[in-house]
Amino acid sequence: MIKKSLLLILALGLGCSAPKEKKEDKEDLNEHVLWYAQPASNWMEALPIGNGRLGAMIFGDTINERIQLNEDSLWPGGPDWGDSKGGPEDLDYIRQLILNGKTSKADKEIIDRFSNKDIVKSHQTMGDLYLDFEHSGKVKNYRRSLSLNDALAEVSYTIDGEQYHRKIFATAADDAIIVQLSTTAKAGLNFSVNLDRPKDEGYKTVEVSSPAENQISMLGEITQMGAIKNSKPKPLDYGVKFETLLQAETDSGKVYSDASGLKIEGAKQVTLYLVSNTSFYTEDFQQKNRLTLEKLSIKTVDELLESHKKDYQELFTRVDFSLNKNVIDSIPTDKRLEAFKKGKEDRALITDLFQYGRYLLISSSRPGTNPANLQGLWNQHIAAPWNADYHLNVNLQMNYWPAEVTNLSELHEPLFDYTKRLVERGKNTAREQYGLEGAVLHNASDLWGAPYMQAREAYWGSWIHGGGWLAQHFWQHYLFTQDKEFLKTTAYPVLKEFATFYAGWLVKDEKTGSFVSFPETSPENSYINEQGERVALSYGSAMGHQIIAEVFDNTLKAAEILDIEDAILGEIEEKRNKLTPGLKLGPDGRILEWTKPYEEPEKGHRHLSHLYALHPGSGITVADSNLFEGAQKSIDYRLKHGGAGTGWSRAWMINFNARLFDAEAARENIHKFFEISLADNLFDLHPPFQIDGNFGYTAGIAEMLLQSHEGFLRILPALPEAWEQGHIKGLKARGDIGVDILWELGRLKQLTLRTNKKQQVKIKYGQEKIKIKLPGNNLEVILNSELKIIRDL
């Protein structure tokens, strides 16, 4: 029985899948506001808004305002660059080269025979909305802000004692971007409104017109005249078609069109409604714009803002996080960040950045949209860095690490929908390029689900596990939600396709009887072979075998849960049992990245792919002390040689630290993330901007406070000593369990659990363990004690 010091209280709960805040409780949530005392001087200072599909960057200039616009399907070309290159005979040839020790030649041959080499085919900007004001006088009391609680950007200032105010938000509820401008000035607002888009290699990309006196239409088609395929020019004069339509309404003054756009004169309040649709989503995208504007016109701005907040807050308010440090409202965010970079820890900014990651995911990934790309949604380029595409060797996956644990499960849906598109083309690649059944994905893709290999060098892109890693997300979604219908109709078919490919891909080592995956690489890394050459291809790699083992295990578990008997399952089980281990220790106790302890030319490499089983996998736990210590030694070695230099790599390091229960190292890497990897608008710097670090950071914070990958709930596994007091409410654990944690003086004070279905759960806090039964029906179980909260039953 539970000792008296443990108090179990059963009370009506809030619901674990999406704990709803009572109306009065919403006021108690911590406010998270980013604000600045000056306009943005560059794009990395502008503030992002988004509704999942539409996005904008707010600069906040008082005279010449720029609002940079995005839509998630604006890509050139189409799904017409093929699915594969080369054939099964080429795979046989490359394998023989590796077996003969000719890895350098194999590196060259795999690119020449299989890869489309350099690819330029980029997600692109929608263009810009320009507001040019006829202000005169000195600007005072300037403030530019973004409320994460409301997903509302605002700009305010005074000129000659008169107030000027803007509200900008991207509403998913009404599928539009709304800009409301107002003033107390007697002369009202006088400004021009224009839409424009950069040229593509000198070519005009849009036609701008005024369909009505209060409207601007920007009609265009995405091209890429500087496109490259196979490292050669491949101009694309076609792509997704789109229209952006803006309508201005005012309560006073005049609105009229001229050759350059719209003119607003003498208006005390003006509302700009901006809608945009594309041929990717609907054939009649122009008609959809007009229907959307019609629906907007029957609502007031207050009604639109209210419906926007209600829709957004249903997601955002599920989690509340505080480290019991109040924000000093008088200090702008950039000044707080500057102080943090100089060594002054700002715990309120730590919690702001955690919620910023959730805000960005809500704003760039909603059911029915495309998944968040390398820049989420926000991209000002015609040819973006790394195409702002979908990199499958950590970056896309990292975008979704916070989805389940921070209670945003449904935002995972765009990734699942996209992966299913990838699978359909990946089956062609597997069959044509490798002569195998199932599906294969390489290191990067685009809107069209391109499955082919694309890299100029073997170390960068001759990697076959993009699909295997994505498959983990399907299984994790099931573990967190316990949605058996999802497992049956969505997860299992995807798992089976990748498992089928791996079953055919593996080669039996006649000397050992084990199955080996090759040719292999470890993403973007290389080693020194026996001939002293720097090479990438290998006879097996740690990450490859770890991913294959995980895909096999999860496929077999899913089939067991669903009581499925597929013919391929027997082969999968046999090869899983004889699979070359992906976890081996080298002579110095580190986990081997390849099958042998090769010398590494980049000892501080940013990728720690061989620790996949530590995180995001679950193959390395404290239950195996040798591997656990080996993982720590591997991290120490990388950091000693300058590792984790990029933003996303530092964020991954925080997750590793959490899994190793190294709270102080996690805190140190949080500090380094703030010091090195954040722009003034808190976007992650690779550099340049990549959004994955923002999402990885948020996931890392959650991992420090709650873990459930070992088959039980581990509470506060990596709580830094400096974080003496705090709470986090609304996290999710595997098993569809909602979790609230309150701590004081560095010790757990209260733990609240809730779930939809009756189940027994194991809990571990420190050295104490307990088993309790959760009653289901969203009833809360509150564990509370002054000292040692969790005791043995």
Side-chain angles (χ1 to χ4, degrees), residues 116-322:
N116 280 311
K117 300 185 181 177
D118 286 327
I119 295 283
V120 173
K121 190 180 185 184
S122 178
H123 175 256
Q124 297 184 12
T125 178
M126 182 199 295
D128 298 277
L129 166 62
Y130 293 106
L131 310 176
D132 297 311
F133 297 90
E134 298 176 10
H135 285 328
S136 62
K138 187 174 181 180
V139 173
K140 296 182 179 180
N141 305 313
Y142 182 91
R143 180 183 171 100
R144 175 173 56 100
S145 65
L146 174 63
S147 167
L148 305 184
N149 296 67
D150 299 330
L152 175 66
E154 296 184 80
V155 178
S156 63
Y157 52 93
T158 61
I159 298 178
D160 297 331
E162 300 295 345
Q163 298 286 334
Y164 292 84
H165 190 209
R166 303 173 204 162
K167 294 181 180 178
I168 310 103
F169 58 97
T171 167
D174 293 284
D175 198 21
I177 293 173
I178 309 297
V179 183
Q180 185 187 57
L181 308 97
S182 60
T183 185
T184 61
K186 186 176 180 180
L189 292 165
N190 296 277
F191 64 101
S192 62
V193 183
N194 301 281
L195 289 173
D196 196 12
R197 187 171 189 271
K199 291 183 178 180
D200 176 16
E201 301 282 318
Y203 290 86
K204 189 177 180 181
T205 60
V206 290
E207 293 291 338
V208 179
S209 63
S210 294
E213 280 295 295
N214 65 340
Q215 290 185 347
I216 307 174
S217 168
M218 184 166 65
L219 185 64
E221 182 172 5
I222 303 301
T223 61
Q224 191 100 58
M225 304 311 293
I228 291 173
K229 181 186 180 186
N230 206 24
S231 298
K232 297 177 182 177
K234 181 83 171 177
L236 291 169
D237 61 358
Y238 61 97
V240 172
K241 298 176 182 178
F242 74 100
E243 183 195 41
T244 301
L245 186 61
L246 180 143
Q247 181 167 303
E249 300 288 351
T250 179
D251 63 339
S252 57
K254 293 189 296 184
V255 180
Y256 61 92
S257 63
D258 65 9
S260 62
L262 300 182
K263 294 287 187 181
I264 314 292
E265 294 180 354
K268 290 296 185 70
Q269 183 171 290
V270 179
T271 303
L272 307 179
Y273 304 88
L274 188 142
V275 298
S276 185
N277 278 284
T278 77
S279 61
F280 177 81
Y281 286 106
T282 178
E283 184 177 344
D284 200 352
F285 54 92
Q286 290 183 269
Q287 178 63 14
K288 188 168 184 179
N289 277 339
R290 281 142 186 81
L291 291 174
T292 302
L293 273 182
E294 286 179 16
K295 292 178 182 177
L296 291 170
S297 66
I298 63 176
K299 293 184 179 181
T300 66
V301 173
D302 287 344
E303 289 172 335
L304 291 170
L305 183 56
E306 184 64 28
S307 61
H308 160 65
K309 287 182 179 180
K310 182 179 179 181
D311 167 79
Y312 168 78
Q313 289 175 347
E314 198 283 322
L315 295 164
F316 184 80
T317 59
R318 294 175 184 177
V319 173
D320 184 34
F321 178 35
S322 171

Side-chain angles (χ1 to χ4, degrees), residues 350-385:
I350 288 173
T351 61
D352 285 343
L353 191 64
F354 170 86
Q355 291 287 30
Y356 192 46
R358 298 182 70 248
Y359 165 84
L360 293 172
L361 189 58
I362 296 169
S363 302
S364 62
S365 182
R366 292 288 197 107
T369 72
N370 286 299
N373 66 33
L374 207 56
Q375 294 188 192
L377 175 64
W378 302 276
N379 165 29
Q380 65 173 332
H381 302 283
I382 296 293

Side-chain angles (χ1 to χ4, degrees), residues 337-410:
L337 180 60
E338 183 180 343
F340 205 140
K341 290 182 176 183
K342 292 178 179 178
K344 185 178 181 180
E345 183 180 63
D346 186 334
R347 292 182 209 163
L349 199 57
I350 288 173
T351 61
D352 285 343
L353 191 64
F354 170 86
Q355 291 287 30
Y356 192 46
R358 298 182 70 248
Y359 165 84
L360 293 172
L361 189 58
I362 296 169
S363 302
S364 62
S365 182
R366 292 288 197 107
T369 72
N370 286 299
N373 66 33
L374 207 56
Q375 294 188 192
L377 175 64
W378 302 276
N379 165 29
Q380 65 173 332
H381 302 283
I382 296 293
W386 300 287
N387 294 320
D389 63 12
Y390 297 107
H391 266 58
L392 311 183
N393 65 4
V394 64
N395 312 101
L396 177 58
Q397 290 89 344
M398 187 179 285
N399 285 358
Y400 287 89
W401 285 356
E404 301 295 337
V405 68
T406 74
N407 216 335
L408 298 171
S409 286
E410 57 268 66

